[in-house]
Amino acid sequence: MVTGERAHYLDYNASAPLLADARDAMLGALEVDANPSSVHRAGRAARGMVNKARRQLAALVNTRPDHVVFTSGATEAAATLLTPHYTFGRSPLTFSRLYVCAADHPCVLAGGRFARNDVIALPVLASGLVDLEALDEALSGHDNGAGLPLVAIHWANNETGVIQPVTEIAAIVKAKGGVLVVDAVQALGRVPVDLSANCGDYLILSSHKIGGPRGAGALVAQSDLMMPLPLISGGGQERGHRAGTEAVANIAGFGAAAETADPARFAECVAMRDAFEAGILEIAPDAVIHGRDVPRLSNTLFFSVPGVKAETAQIAFDLAGLAVSAGSACSSGKVGKSHVLTAMGVEAEEGAIRVSFAPDTSAAAVGRFHDELGKIVARARPKNSLAGA
């Protein structure tokens, strides 16, 4: 992305721009041309950079550094954790069913290494919150004798920004003898994430959502006593949990971004989100802000305007120099009906537009967005006389 366009970049939930601190850490790592498993001086220097990043990430989520396992991204972390086969100490531990939220990210909905028939989708309410009664009922009917239940639910939705009640979910799962994997990709750096505060047994994290490089992620365990069987076997890297030579530069950038992350700064985005929403409703009073009545990320809004196709609007915004998305950016550029809205029972055939931003997003970007939205709505409704059109 060229610098001049960054003020109008409104797609942070897809990927945040690389932070200067992360870039500097990566450049420093590239100067150390060695394998971090090597025992010579250069290898030890590379290993030191990986371990520093491990400490930085552990500090952000309040856990021990040796509970952090680096991966190539959140998708690999999910595929690693979502497996029927774990070890508890030296003993095997089996999970017979995986329970996921119907509005989860596709990498969770895919079910990892579970057989398709063993993946159970939990419904969400119209608000986008997972149906806790349905979760309790599903786990109450689970046969623990055949294997324990594994539950995977996102902390914050990547489209609506709706924040799930993870402590309540964790309490239900624990009471039923299950284990909880929390996809904290969108929550990290935007809300306080404390793995010691009964918010789950494992976290899935991603570097590029917090201003680190693409190509780095992590799974973080509350304890290393129970761990999934490795997805990638071979060498003994990452204490045997993930084979393959570590991508030192990417990991160093991830660590630097984690050290910079500040949820308190993102809390300041609420005023800007409210300004975005007020302008949308002034231009199109019948617009629907999805998930508006429940806790949401302060930097995210997902809205539909009756009669305005999300795909058409996204193209118009792009031509005007505004980067927004029509839902998740995880389907190779495909634009279609949002599975999140479908899960919420929303029948908006037009789709929806997601706006996601950062604390330093400019007021000019907000104004430019409203100007362009007014033009888009006016073209879609030529017979209407709309304010701002």
Side-chain angles (χ1 to χ4, degrees):
M1 185 193 313
V2 296
T3 305
E5 293 175 346
R6 186 163 291 173
H8 303 314
Y9 183 74
L10 303 174
D11 200 18
Y12 275 73
N13 285 14
S15 190
L18 186 67
L19 294 170
D21 287 351
R23 181 182 290 107
D24 290 344
M26 294 176 71
L27 291 174
L30 290 172
E31 292 297 320
V32 180
D33 195 8
N35 189 316
S37 295
S38 297
V39 297
H40 49 63
R41 182 179 301 175
R44 294 196 305 272
R47 171 59 52 194
M49 292 179 172
V50 172
N51 288 339
K52 178 182 178 181
R54 208 183 305 278
R55 292 192 298 273
Q56 290 168 317
L57 190 57
L60 181 58
V61 299
N62 193 23
T63 192
R64 287 172 43 178
D66 59 352
H67 294 172
V68 176
V69 177
F70 288 115
T71 66
S72 64
T75 297
E76 184 193 323
T80 302
L81 287 168
L82 305 185
T83 175
H85 306 296
Y86 276 63
T87 57
F88 189 83
R90 296 186 177 182
S91 301
L93 180 65
T94 301
F95 294 90
S96 58
R97 293 286 187 276
L98 172 65
Y99 299 86
V100 300
C101 171
D104 271 330
H105 190 279
C107 77
V108 173
L109 290 174
R113 290 178 275 175
F114 278 85
R116 196 70 236 166
N117 291 341
D118 293 332
V119 180
I120 311 300
L122 301 166
V124 299
L125 305 174
S127 62
L129 294 174
V130 67
D131 188 332
L132 297 182
E133 291 185 5
L135 170 63
D136 186 86
E137 182 179 349
L139 296 184
S140 294
H142 181 89
D143 179 9
N144 284 20
L148 297 179
L150 185 64
V151 180
I153 292 178
H154 61 280
W155 192 316
N157 189 269
N158 62 315
E159 295 189 3
T160 62
V162 167
I163 297 172
Q164 300 293 344
V166 289
T167 54
E168 293 179 55
I169 293 168
I172 293 171
V173 174
K174 183 177 181 180
K176 303 301 182 183
V179 168
L180 177 62
V181 174
V182 178
D183 172 4
V185 166
Q186 296 294 344
L188 189 68
R190 298 173 186 178
V191 298
V193 174
D194 185 345
L195 191 51
S196 71
N198 298 319
C199 66
D201 299 286
Y202 301 92
L203 299 178
I204 296 169
L205 305 177
S206 175
S207 166
H208 71 100
K209 306 296 186 178
I210 62 169
R214 285 165 285 281
L219 64 89
V220 184
Q222 191 179 59
S223 166
D224 59 0
L225 182 62
M226 180 175 62
M227 291 295 288
L229 289 185
L231 175 68
I232 301 175
S233 301
Q237 295 90 348
E238 295 301 293
R239 302 177 313 287
H241 298 306
R242 196 271 189 185
T245 302
E246 295 92 342
V248 179
N250 285 359
I251 290 171
F254 190 6
E259 187 167 17
T260 302
D262 182 4
R265 285 195 67 230
F266 263 88
E268 300 169 2
C269 291
V270 169
M272 186 174 295
R273 188 189 69 193
D274 291 347
F276 269 114
E277 292 182 358
I280 291 169
L281 294 172
E282 182 177 351
I283 294 165
D286 57 346
V288 179
I289 311 295
H290 302 291
R292 191 182 190 194
D293 297 328
V294 295
R296 287 177 296 153
L297 293 175
S298 58
N299 79 317
T300 305
L301 62 112
F302 196 44
F303 72 97
S304 300
V305 178
V308 177
K309 291 185 177 180
E311 183 176 5
T312 301
Q314 183 183 19
I315 294 170
F317 280 124
D318 186 45
L319 292 173
L322 289 148
V324 300
S325 72
S328 172
C330 59
S331 301
S332 301
K334 296 177 182 177
V335 177
K337 188 172 182 180
S338 164
H339 76 280
V340 175
L341 293 185
T342 298
M344 293 167 64
V346 177
E347 297 181 358
E349 293 298 327
E350 299 90 348
I353 288 290
R354 182 184 67 188
V355 178
S356 51
F357 46 91
D360 58 358
T361 296
S362 68
V366 181
R368 181 71 175 273
F369 174 86
H370 288 147
D371 288 344
E372 190 57 35
L373 179 62
K375 297 174 185 177
I376 293 168
V377 173
R379 288 195 294 269
R381 302 174 175 180
K383 294 181 181 180
N384 291 355
S385 177
L386 295 171

